[in-house]
Amino acid sequence: MLQLPLTSVFLLVVIGSILNVVCGPVEIDESGLTKKSYSGYKLLRTSPLTESKMAEALMLSLDGKHGVHFWTFPKAHQTTDILASPRLYPHVKSLLEELGVEHDIVHEDIDQLIQQENADAAAAAEILPVSRQLAAHRMDWRTYHRYNDIYGYCQYLTQSKRASATGATVTMETIGKTTENRDIVLLKVSKGNGAPKPAIWIDGGMHAREWISPATVTYILDTLVSNPQKSQEMLDEFDWYIIPVINVDGYEYTHTNDRFWRKTRSRTASFLGCRGVDPNRNWDYQWGGAGTSNDPCSEIYRGPNAFSEPETKSVSNAILARRDQIKMYLTFHSYSQMLILPWGYAKTRPIDYSDLYSLGLKGKQALEKTYGTQYRLGTAPDLLYSAAGGSDDWAKGGAGIKYSYTFELRDTGRFGFSLPANQIVPTGEETFNSVKALALGLRDTMKGQGIGTQQNSKLPNRPNYPSRYPILPKPGIVSAKSLTETDDTLTELGSNYIEETQSILI
């Protein structure tokens, strides 16, 4: 095993500073006036990092450096995916050589992947007026769609008889506006006489570049309202609240300007002009802890305060208004093929972890049974790293929703965020089966506890999760010694170093 001397660690800190100062600002163009080219960008995959110091050094040296993006974050004993511009690839290569880390080139030119992922979109738009004159919406789930198409489809569901096959009613409301004044819409799918049932919440599109997330959420929505053979039991037992796209501004920006943009589009205090906040570090539960950054140029920038973003604030308000009814929270991200449980903010588990795991296992097994796609089940710190301020932690710890899960959808890195559109339908099918298994498992659990799910059943009072699971001291500031085992001197690098090196893209 390679042993990094302390002098090498500090040398890497210097290299990272040089990359940031010399190369960083040159790469910045977040004005939205030009479309970013990824021509010549290389996607690298390192060999498994043999010790934690390597992961720390990579994180410290490259996070927030413009022209370099972590697609998976560094962790000891795992590989790391890094996207590097032609200009910075030599610097990244030198850094890896200094660390003694080998790497392969997964894609020589990521722009070729971008051109292929949604290749049929133009053709679909051309044939749509002829082939779908009566459809009144453009969604087809064989291409990735712009937000106007998704919004139009949601409107169509409320105005048509699309849901008549299942007897469901679809309503839509605008729960807030984005920074750029776009609507954030929430749909409710219900069946019966209007009396409330226990509900399941679904949201997608929190991270802009994860196109498979809104595509999968809308696929689930469409199956729910139009396929009684698959969805009847789900509608009989639960109401469904669904937000197809939370980060609407960012999602649109990935279509028009920067395919791999991640954050919101709000302005920050950055003197370099860096924009946006990571919306999945912005929720008000253990906000500001591990796996977040106070650097506005970082892709895991947590924002100036919790719920600083209109997107996260609007969605949290909508959840709180219905928290007595909502019994399960499901949020959809990519990529990694994981089903993630709370807590994400630290390597600790809720007292009812076994309940969440047992139910999650049913969802995992149903998904894997569909096409054989293999998923992992566990907490973010167990599978990856700690990440504070996430929506799943807030749903459980802040809103008091017992069952809270994050889906990390396909794939495991062959295509990453550029998953080809021909995988939308199989991803949607297997994920719908997982959601169905989770829902029916929840129904059985509630009935086993003597809690009815029929529309005339009295809903139980909301359990007081914040008091049952007290908010612990922020875990983000941990001792450097606990990460490096022996090098007490690294403590001098400070708490920001530790926070920046415990990061994950969820």
Side-chain angles (χ1 to χ4, degrees), residues 213-225:
S213 169
T216 299
V217 169
T218 52
Y219 185 93
I220 293 170
L221 171 62
D222 192 70
T223 306
L224 197 61
V225 302

Side-chain angles (χ1 to χ4, degrees), residues 225-263:
V225 302
S226 65
N227 193 325
Q229 183 177 358
K230 292 185 176 181
S231 66
Q232 203 67 62
E233 284 184 285
M234 301 163 72
L235 292 169
D236 288 342
E237 303 292 348
F238 296 98
D239 291 338
W240 297 80
Y241 292 102
I242 300 174
I243 298 182
V245 186
I246 291 178
N247 182 9
V248 184
D249 294 345
Y251 182 72
E252 274 297 287
Y253 193 74
T254 62
H255 284 271
T256 60
N257 295 86
D258 184 347
R259 173 60 189 90
F260 299 122
W261 184 259
R262 169 182 166 88
K263 302 186 289 183

Side-chain angles (χ1 to χ4, degrees), residues 214-331:
T216 299
V217 169
T218 52
Y219 185 93
I220 293 170
L221 171 62
D222 192 70
T223 306
L224 197 61
V225 302
S226 65
N227 193 325
Q229 183 177 358
K230 292 185 176 181
S231 66
Q232 203 67 62
E233 284 184 285
M234 301 163 72
L235 292 169
D236 288 342
E237 303 292 348
F238 296 98
D239 291 338
W240 297 80
Y241 292 102
I242 300 174
I243 298 182
V245 186
I246 291 178
N247 182 9
V248 184
D249 294 345
Y251 182 72
E252 274 297 287
Y253 193 74
T254 62
H255 284 271
T256 60
N257 295 86
D258 184 347
R259 173 60 189 90
F260 299 122
W261 184 259
R262 169 182 166 88
K263 302 186 289 183
T264 64
R265 290 294 299 157
S266 59
R267 294 186 179 276
T268 71
S270 168
F271 72 93
L272 293 176
C274 298
R275 286 195 183 190
V277 167
D278 182 343
N280 209 36
R281 302 293 187 275
N282 193 238
W283 295 72
D284 194 13
Y285 192 79
Q286 300 294 336
W287 176 84
T292 72
S293 174
N294 61 4
D295 176 7
C297 294
S298 171
E299 289 190 316
I300 52 171
Y301 175 48
R302 59 188 174 236
N305 52 266
F307 291 143
S308 62
E309 304 308 283
E311 294 85 357
T312 56
K313 184 63 175 176
S314 296
V315 175
S316 66
N317 286 341
I319 292 174
L320 289 175
R322 300 161 178 84
R323 62 181 175 182
D324 289 335
Q325 185 186 7
I326 299 170
K327 304 305 172 190
M328 180 181 290
Y329 173 84
L330 304 175
T331 184

Side-chain angles (χ1 to χ4, degrees), residues 255-503:
H255 284 271
T256 60
N257 295 86
D258 184 347
R259 173 60 189 90
F260 299 122
W261 184 259
R262 169 182 166 88
K263 302 186 289 183
T264 64
R265 290 294 299 157
S266 59
R267 294 186 179 276
T268 71
S270 168
F271 72 93
L272 293 176
C274 298
R275 286 195 183 190
V277 167
D278 182 343
N280 209 36
R281 302 293 187 275
N282 193 238
W283 295 72
D284 194 13
Y285 192 79
Q286 300 294 336
W287 176 84
T292 72
S293 174
N294 61 4
D295 176 7
C297 294
S298 171
E299 289 190 316
I300 52 171
Y301 175 48
R302 59 188 174 236
N305 52 266
F307 291 143
S308 62
E309 304 308 283
E311 294 85 357
T312 56
K313 184 63 175 176
S314 296
V315 175
S316 66
N317 286 341
I319 292 174
L320 289 175
R322 300 161 178 84
R323 62 181 175 182
D324 289 335
Q325 185 186 7
I326 299 170
K327 304 305 172 190
M328 180 181 290
Y329 173 84
L330 304 175
T331 184
F332 292 83
H333 291 256
S334 75
Y335 62 95
S336 285
Q337 294 176 194
M338 297 176 183
L339 186 54
I340 297 176
L341 323 175
W343 303 113
Y345 69 85
K347 198 171 179 61
T348 184
R349 296 175 175 178
I351 60 173
D352 57 353
Y353 177 81
S354 61
D355 295 343
L356 275 73
Y357 189 92
S358 296
L359 184 56
L361 188 60
K362 294 179 180 179
K364 173 181 180 291
Q365 291 170 340
L367 187 149
E368 293 176 342
K369 185 178 179 181
T370 309
Y371 289 111
T373 308
Q374 295 300 301
Y375 265 55
R376 291 193 287 166
L377 176 67
T379 68
D382 287 341
L383 299 178
L384 296 161
Y385 279 105
S386 300
S391 67
D392 51 355
D393 276 7
W394 178 86
K396 184 172 182 63
I401 301 168
K402 176 179 173 69
Y403 293 98
S404 177
Y405 299 92
T406 294
F407 280 82
E408 289 283 348
L409 301 169
R410 293 189 184 189
D411 58 8
T412 56
R414 179 184 178 189
F415 297 104
F417 299 119
S418 283
L419 192 72
N422 62 15
Q423 294 198 36
I424 294 173
V425 171
T427 302
E429 289 175 340
E430 66 190 12
T431 309
F432 179 88
N433 291 341
S434 180
V435 171
K436 182 176 181 178
L438 289 170
L440 299 186
L442 175 60
R443 174 202 63 186
D444 295 342
T445 297
M446 294 174 68
K447 286 183 176 180
Q449 296 172 348
I451 302 172
T453 59
Q454 296 304 311
Q455 60 192 33
N456 58 356
S457 297
K458 185 180 185 331
L459 296 177
N461 292 329
R462 167 180 168 267
N464 189 9
Y465 281 104
S467 61
R468 289 178 61 194
Y469 310 134
I471 297 178
L472 302 175
K474 286 189 177 180
I477 312 301
V478 299
S479 69
K481 183 175 181 179
S482 68
L483 292 178
T484 61
E485 296 181 351
T486 57
D487 291 333
D488 292 338
T489 312
L490 283 181
T491 307
E492 297 175 4
L493 293 177
S495 60
N496 285 338
Y497 170 81
I498 300 304
E499 289 185 326
E500 294 296 324
T501 58
Q502 290 197 117
S503 301

Side-chain angles (χ1 to χ4, degrees), residues 56-200:
E56 295 161 18
L58 276 179
M59 189 65 202
L60 179 66
S61 300
L62 299 180
D63 181 41
K65 310 305 183 288
H66 300 281
V68 181
H69 307 277
F70 284 113
W71 276 23
T72 62
F73 265 45
K75 181 182 180 180
H77 312 301
Q78 292 190 9
T79 62
T80 302
D81 292 353
I82 306 171
L83 184 66
S85 70
R87 186 165 181 262
L88 290 192
Y89 170 67
H91 299 280
V92 176
K93 182 180 178 182
S94 296
L95 175 63
L96 294 174
E97 290 174 350
E98 175 70 23
L99 287 168
V101 177
E102 297 180 353
H103 73 277
D104 295 323
I105 306 294
V106 181
H107 293 286
E108 285 281 356
D109 187 350
I110 203 69
D111 189 61
Q112 295 180 7
L113 211 60
I114 295 174
Q115 300 305 318
Q116 296 168 6
E117 72 173 331
N118 209 27
D120 293 336
E126 291 174 2
I127 66 173
L128 185 62
V130 176
S131 65
R132 306 192 111 189
Q133 294 181 25
L134 301 178
H137 71 86
R138 303 180 68 91
M139 298 294 290
D140 58 13
W141 294 280
R142 64 188 181 91
T143 59
Y144 292 108
H145 288 264
R146 298 281 297 276
Y147 185 65
N148 279 346
D149 290 351
I150 296 173
Y151 185 88
Y153 169 68
C154 294
Q155 284 187 313
Y156 166 74
L157 289 181
T158 66
Q159 299 168 1
S160 74
K161 296 182 179 180
R162 176 68 168 168
S164 61
T166 58
T169 299
V170 181
T171 59
M172 182 175 81
E173 65 174 294
T174 299
I175 60 170
K177 295 282 190 177
T178 67
T179 296
E180 296 176 350
N181 204 38
R182 294 183 174 93
D183 289 343
I184 306 169
V185 296
L186 169 68
L187 289 90
K188 179 183 179 182
V189 182
S190 60
K191 179 184 175 183
N193 61 9
K197 303 174 188 175
I200 294 176

